Amino acid sequence: LAPSNPSPLDAKKQCVHQDKAIVYPKRTRTQRLLFLQGSEYLRPNELLQVACSQYDISGEEYCDSMRNNGVWGGGPEIVALCNYLRRPIHVYELIDVCKSKNK
């Protein structure tokens, strides 16, 4: 039997589910545009095509490769993650001060 009073966890799950439904009311997953920067957007399949074209492989091969241990993601994966989390991600590259002074 289901409990007559939902637990706070059940209420939270329902709220999260409702929140997701509110965010994308008129679009399906394949129609959603991914934000790049400024006023630049592209579709998920376009992002995948750009990523796999760098390695001259299919989208399926690219995704299979990304599932392997020890394979690092790059720009396309950061774009996807930013859009999924709806948060900016800033990447900083550390530069050796001694080496940069000698250049």
Side-chain angles (χ1 to χ4, degrees):
L1 290 172
S4 58
N5 293 329
S7 72
L9 183 58
D10 291 334
K12 190 171 189 175
K13 287 179 187 175
Q14 184 179 8
C15 181
V16 169
H17 176 70
Q18 289 173 352
D19 184 40
K20 288 181 182 177
I22 292 169
V23 173
Y24 302 111
K26 296 180 182 178
R27 295 182 175 192
T28 64
R29 191 172 229 185
T30 57
Q31 294 173 331
R32 184 176 347 147
L33 292 175
L34 299 174
F35 173 74
L36 292 176
Q37 65 182 6
S39 61
E40 296 179 76
Y41 293 84
L42 53 83
R43 297 190 187 288
N45 62 336
E46 294 170 325
L47 179 63
L48 179 58
Q49 288 304 314
V50 168
C52 67
S53 69
Q54 296 175 22
Y55 303 101
D56 197 29
I57 58 176
S58 71
E60 187 174 335
E61 290 171 313
Y62 183 84
C63 291
D64 287 343
S65 169
M66 285 293 118
R67 289 184 187 99
N68 293 328
N69 288 334
V71 176
W72 289 65
E77 291 74 30
I78 293 172
V79 168
L81 187 59
C82 286
N83 280 272
Y84 179 78
L85 297 174
R86 291 190 225 132
R87 298 284 185 268
I89 295 176
H90 301 276
V91 178
Y92 296 92
E93 183 176 352
L94 298 177
I95 298 173
D96 188 344
V97 177
C98 294
K99 288 183 181 180
S100 65
K101 286 183 180 179
N102 293 333
K103 288 187 178 182

